[in-house]
Amino acid sequence: MQETLLQFIRHLRHAGVTISTAETLDAMSVAAQLGYRDKTLLYHGLAACLAKTDEQRQQYHSCFKQFFEFDLKPDVANESEETAENESSESEANDAMSGQGSMGGGGGSGQGNQGQSGQNQSGQDQEQSRSPKSEAQNFDQLRADVIRAAAQAQLEQLRFPTQRGIFRRRILEALNDPQRQSEIQALGNGDAQQQERSRWLQQQRDIQLEMVREMIDRQLLLTNNAEARATQEALMRDSSLSAMDQYYRKKLPPLIRKLAKKLASRHKQRLHRAKRGKPDLGKTLRRNIAYGGVPFNRYWRQKKREKSEIYVLCDLSGSVSAWSEVLMLFVQALAEVLPNTRSFVFCGRSHEVSEEFKSFPAEQALALIRHKHGMGSSDYGLALNSFRDQIIDKVNRRSCIIILGDGRGNGGDTGIDALRELYQRARLLLWFNPEPQSNWNTGDSEIRRYQSASHYVAECGSLRKLEYLLDDLLTLMR
Amino acid sequence: MTNARQQIDTLISQLAEQGYIASDNIATTLYLAKMLERPILIEGPPGVGKTELANATAAVLNQPLVRLQCYEGLDESKALYDWKYSKQLLYVQVLKEKLQDVLAGTEGLSGAVEKLHQLDDIFYSEHFLEPRPLLQALKSDTGAVLLIDEIDKADYEFESLLLEILADFKVSVPEIGRIAATHKPLVILTSNNTRDLSDALKRRCLHLYIPFPEADLEGRIVDSRVPEISEQLRRQLVEFVHSVRQFDLKKQPAISETIDWARSLLLLHADKLDRQLVEDSLNVLLKYEEDIDLVRPELSSLLRNSH
């Protein structure tokens, strides 16, 4: 039974619910306390220790339904218990826990009696096939065979969709399928009665094939393609965006949100620790004169936190627009730790887009911005000059400016003077360049000149590099 | 195993005696918390009876309720323990002469300090310890229900402070050592979800989410709280509140508002809802002018539906 629970927890993890070892232990004691009989009870009990956010609760609900083939209405639960009545208590529990569960335990009851049971039944079933009850029994028998075969084939190890074929073959082998197929063929050439039987066998086989397919689908659904996804995510973090397929780009926003959440939670903690400040000796002494100068009440020096502002300017021209979108998404997702952010985009003139992000969800805002300001070749001269005009009276020693662009101005005005003016005023001016360093200063790239008017020019060729850069930035800004 | 089911059903009826109508989910979690000695973290919109559950539980268990209301800046001297500084000071003054007697005959400063060392840390003993709610709950002789209300309002530091108590039911006081609970209290934490709690805290708790109840359950709750209300009015009222919750409101009316509204309608001697009555008493149900403005034009259709 424990094995079943562990499998369930594994499936929850695959579905993206984070469950620690301690919570697993909790789940075990919950199950021990409540028993497996009353599923509604088990559902609520396990929910209390496994699903801890709104999102997780929904995942848990669908996983529980999938895994235990379970309907929350009590009458249905009773029915499934009735069907399992005849079997021993152990397998009863397993059966109630559905196919996944019995894979752990029931693998031993070998192949031998399967062929037998199939043949023994065949005669009776033909006679009784009209009454619905025996049909249902037959169906259960077929299903039990498939479940046993699946256990033999170790279906729970199925991870990738590409393994579908292998596991299908293994299960069919465990079901003695090749033998049955030749039997069907042999009987098909015989007399009328034999042909009838061959047709019946064929029908049984079709039903089982369908079951096998369903079971494999379900297993894939349960593992939720988790490992393939994890590999993909790792790949996406390291690969260059320009080389990335549109298909993968669509999957970026959730990944970015995940990375941003990690960053935010780390820097939130630091922020609080830094706020403590130094003891105010004078005030402490003054206020404690009543106690003979013994400092019973301590006072800390109140430090006014100066809010730092971040200005992000992104190039929306064709070559780097994908990166700009990633950066803007990242910065928006970091809103919790970077409250004062203003975003600007440019192809020609710079436009502020902070309002769009405030009134629409991030992805929708991006689409809107792309539509309004995107597509065109970059004119750095106009962009930097108009950017300076918009923000110069706000920029001070607490401001941080991030510019994302490849610094390729198509030979036009560089706007370097405007940049230098900002550089001299701001606390930090960073230039993120998505191009690999080897390509800098080739062709029309002006990045060397921009380097002289920035505190740091960084290459942000992959999501991982961008994550590190922002991590450093947050440490600096705190 | 049916044992668990029975006990949970008993719990539901016991809670009902206290005027708390619990769903299966709530009762199961409460039962588990008691059996496994785990804290419960209750989340849900304001006014669905999170705090009330703690009150009812304390009454069912016949144990005192120790309540700690969280707010920004809450620290251990207000939540856990503090030293009775003035008492210490007073004792020092009073005992000055006694000290001179004790120290008489010692040679030099080091001798006096040596002598003092032998006296132990009398000023930092339990007599000078002022227990705050958390410590009170741990030291209670009969066991207690500890309600830590609106934990999301407290700082991160306070959350970390709670971890030791929630996991081991022990408190470290540097000057004394670890104080363990005599009877483990049942801990209930509530959160309005204004911020995410740390994973470490969530891991240690059973999690319970109380949503707005379904119409049937809410009807029973109103019935148990305001038994004088007529059947027809109760049904209309609950249906009306449910359809009001479909609007995009600044603040959704919670159960507590439904109950308040039922009480005020009773005071107005109403036996069924009509437009005038609802319009006059809508401010009991909705707490923002914008919300009232949003609902008022829809009143007739809402009332038609709830008839």
Side-chain angles (χ1 to χ4, degrees), chain A residues 165-380:
Chain A
I166 285 189
F167 277 92
R168 186 170 173 278
R169 210 200 62 228
R170 277 196 206 157
I171 295 175
L172 286 180
E173 260 169 25
L175 279 172
N176 250 347
D177 189 63
Q179 200 187 325
R180 181 164 57 178
Q181 244 178 323
S182 52
E183 196 186 340
I184 291 174
Q185 241 166 19
L187 287 171
N189 299 330
D191 55 28
Q193 201 188 348
Q194 277 178 329
Q195 274 182 8
E196 171 90 344
R197 180 165 161 66
S198 141
R199 260 201 301 282
W200 182 82
L201 274 176
Q202 182 66 44
Q203 192 193 350
Q204 302 281 300
R205 181 168 180 268
D206 289 346
I207 294 176
Q208 278 190 334
L209 280 182
E210 182 64 19
M211 282 176 183
V212 170
R213 200 180 57 76
E214 253 173 42
M215 193 168 276
I216 290 176
D217 280 352
R218 197 158 71 97
Q219 176 69 24
L220 275 175
L221 214 62
L222 282 172
T223 53
N224 198 4
N225 215 355
E227 266 163 60
R229 223 176 25 183
T231 332
Q232 210 179 57
E233 269 185 13
L235 200 77
M236 265 158 65
R237 283 178 75 181
D238 283 325
S239 61
S240 158
L241 241 203
S242 43
M244 207 180 271
D245 215 338
Q246 189 63 28
Y247 168 76
Y248 288 108
R249 259 183 228 173
K250 276 197 189 126
K251 295 190 167 184
L252 271 176
L255 179 62
I256 291 175
R257 272 197 294 274
K258 201 162 114 186
L259 294 177
K261 195 181 168 199
K262 203 173 78 185
L263 274 185
S265 69
R266 199 152 80 226
H267 289 280
K268 217 156 41 180
Q269 295 274 340
R270 285 184 192 167
L271 197 87
H272 270 266
R273 216 180 299 152
K275 236 169 38 179
R276 273 282 167 83
K278 293 177 183 164
D280 188 341
L281 272 183
K283 194 175 180 187
T284 308
L285 280 177
R286 271 198 310 279
R287 292 289 166 91
N288 285 301
I289 285 176
Y291 306 114
V294 182
F296 283 140
N297 295 322
R298 283 85 62 207
Y299 293 91
W300 272 269
R301 201 161 288 163
Q302 297 273 323
K303 208 167 103 187
K304 259 193 198 153
R305 275 187 62 79
E306 292 173 339
K307 283 188 179 168
S308 38
E309 284 154 339
I310 295 183
Y311 299 89
V312 182
L313 175 67
C314 290
D315 187 351
L316 268 196
S317 68
S319 46
V320 287
S321 66
W323 272 114
S324 296
E325 287 176 12
V326 166
L327 179 66
M328 281 193 281
L329 268 184
F330 221 128
V331 171
Q332 291 305 322
L334 282 173
E336 206 176 354
V337 278
L338 290 177
N340 298 309
T341 313
R342 288 175 68 185
S343 309
F344 295 79
V345 293
F346 73 92
C347 271
R349 181 171 290 282
S350 301
H351 298 279
E352 176 155 14
V353 292
S354 315
E355 211 41 56
E356 272 86 344
F357 280 109
K358 261 179 218 155
S359 31
F360 298 101
E363 282 140 69
Q364 206 178 328
L366 276 184
L368 203 74
I369 292 165
R370 208 182 305 136
H371 176 73
K372 243 166 125 180
H373 309 293
M375 291 303 141
S377 59
S378 33
D379 177 350
Y380 276 86

Side-chain angles (χ1 to χ4, degrees), chain B residues 182-217:
Chain B
T182 30
H183 287 89
K184 287 185 183 172
L186 178 68
V187 184
I188 297 181
L189 300 105
T190 74
S191 156
N192 283 337
N193 233 341
T194 53
R195 67 172 173 88
D196 277 347
L197 300 174
S198 73
D199 287 344
L201 183 77
K202 284 194 164 183
R203 180 176 79 58
R204 284 170 175 79
C205 303
L206 294 176
H207 189 268
L208 174 64
Y209 181 80
I210 307 185
F212 287 124
E214 283 165 17
D216 177 44
L217 186 64

Side-chain angles (χ1 to χ4, degrees), chain B:
Chain B
M1 291 307 154
T2 46
N3 202 8
R5 178 84 251 181
Q6 272 168 12
Q7 291 194 25
I8 288 170
D9 286 341
T10 328
L11 195 60
I12 291 180
S13 59
Q14 279 173 338
L15 284 173
E17 277 167 34
Q18 302 301 327
Y20 191 92
I21 310 293
S23 68
D24 235 16
N25 190 8
I26 295 175
T28 310
T29 314
L30 197 59
Y31 169 75
L32 284 173
K34 230 179 107 24
M35 300 309 287
L36 305 178
E37 296 178 330
R38 285 276 158 158
I40 313 181
L41 171 65
I42 309 180
E43 285 185 314
V48 289
K50 299 189 291 289
T51 311
E52 200 50 43
L53 177 62
N55 285 329
T57 311
V60 166
L61 298 176
N62 201 13
Q63 285 174 347
L65 179 79
V66 182
R67 179 170 172 166
L68 174 68
Q69 174 69 45
C70 294
Y71 51 88
E72 215 177 305
L74 179 69
D75 59 4
E76 59 179 6
S77 68
K78 284 164 196 150
L80 194 53
Y81 69 90
D82 206 354
W83 292 106
K84 296 177 181 167
Y85 291 120
S86 29
K87 189 175 169 188
Q88 283 171 333
L89 204 64
L90 198 67
Y91 275 45
V92 171
Q93 296 291 344
V94 172
L95 296 178
K96 232 177 203 168
E97 281 162 26
K98 195 82 187 159
L99 272 177
Q100 269 169 4
D101 292 349
V102 172
L103 295 181
T106 50
E107 290 221 348
L109 202 58
S110 60
V113 170
E114 194 61 36
K115 189 91 185 176
L116 274 179
H117 275 312
Q118 290 166 12
L119 293 177
D120 247 354
D121 295 329
I122 37 169
F123 286 109
Y124 283 99
S125 60
E126 291 209 27
H127 296 292
F128 294 93
L129 198 65
E130 174 85 66
R132 303 284 191 202
L134 292 180
L135 196 57
Q136 271 172 25
L138 289 186
K139 289 173 81 175
S140 161
D141 293 329
T142 53
V145 175
L146 172 62
L147 170 65
I148 302 175
D149 217 0
E150 305 191 340
I151 174 76
D152 51 333
K153 299 246 170 72
D155 304 321
Y156 284 93
E157 291 85 345
F158 182 69
E159 254 181 61
S160 319
L161 176 78
L162 275 182
L163 295 181
E164 187 189 11
I165 300 170
L166 296 183
D168 305 340
F169 295 101
K170 281 179 187 158
V171 171
S172 300
V173 180
E175 293 88 348
I176 295 178
R178 284 187 112 192
I179 301 178
T182 30
H183 287 89
K184 287 185 183 172
L186 178 68
V187 184
I188 297 181
L189 300 105
T190 74
S191 156
N192 283 337
N193 233 341
T194 53
R195 67 172 173 88
D196 277 347
L197 300 174
S198 73
D199 287 344
L201 183 77
K202 284 194 164 183
R203 180 176 79 58
R204 284 170 175 79
C205 303
L206 294 176
H207 189 268
L208 174 64
Y209 181 80
I210 307 185
F212 287 124
E214 283 165 17
D216 177 44
L217 186 64
E218 189 159 15
R220 274 162 52 208
I221 294 172
V222 172
D223 193 31
S224 99
R225 283 306 167 100
V226 195
E228 307 89 356
I229 198 168
S230 76
E231 163 89 41
Q232 187 199 6
L233 180 60
R234 192 187 71 213
R235 198 172 38 77
Q236 277 186 350
L237 176 118
V238 169
E239 265 170 43
F240 184 84
V241 173
H242 268 255
S243 41
V244 166
R245 282 196 195 126
Q246 308 297 322
F247 286 89
D248 286 327
L249 298 177
K250 220 168 167 179
K251 186 189 176 310
Q252 300 272 349
I255 305 176
S256 53
E257 273 105 10
T258 315
I259 293 172
D260 283 348
W261 200 36
R263 287 205 178 115
S264 15
L265 289 180
L266 208 64
L267 272 178
L268 296 171
H269 300 293
D271 52 1
K272 68 181 187 53
L273 288 184
D274 61 52
R275 200 194 150 87
Q276 190 57 43
L277 185 71
V278 173
E279 209 163 322
D280 290 346
S281 57
L282 204 57
N283 55 351
V284 181
L285 195 64
L286 298 172
K287 301 292 165 75
Y288 286 94
E289 197 54 38
E290 294 98 305
D291 288 353
I292 297 180
D293 287 343
L294 195 76
V295 172
R296 195 178 285 132
E298 308 291 328
L299 274 184
S300 346
S301 69
L302 280 175
L303 282 171
R304 218 175 305 128
N305 291 339
S306 60
H307 271 285

Side-chain angles (χ1 to χ4, degrees), chain A residues 1 27 89 102 106 191 256 263 462:
Chain A
M1 241 24 263
S89 68
S102 45
D191 55 28
I256 291 175
L263 274 185
S462 71

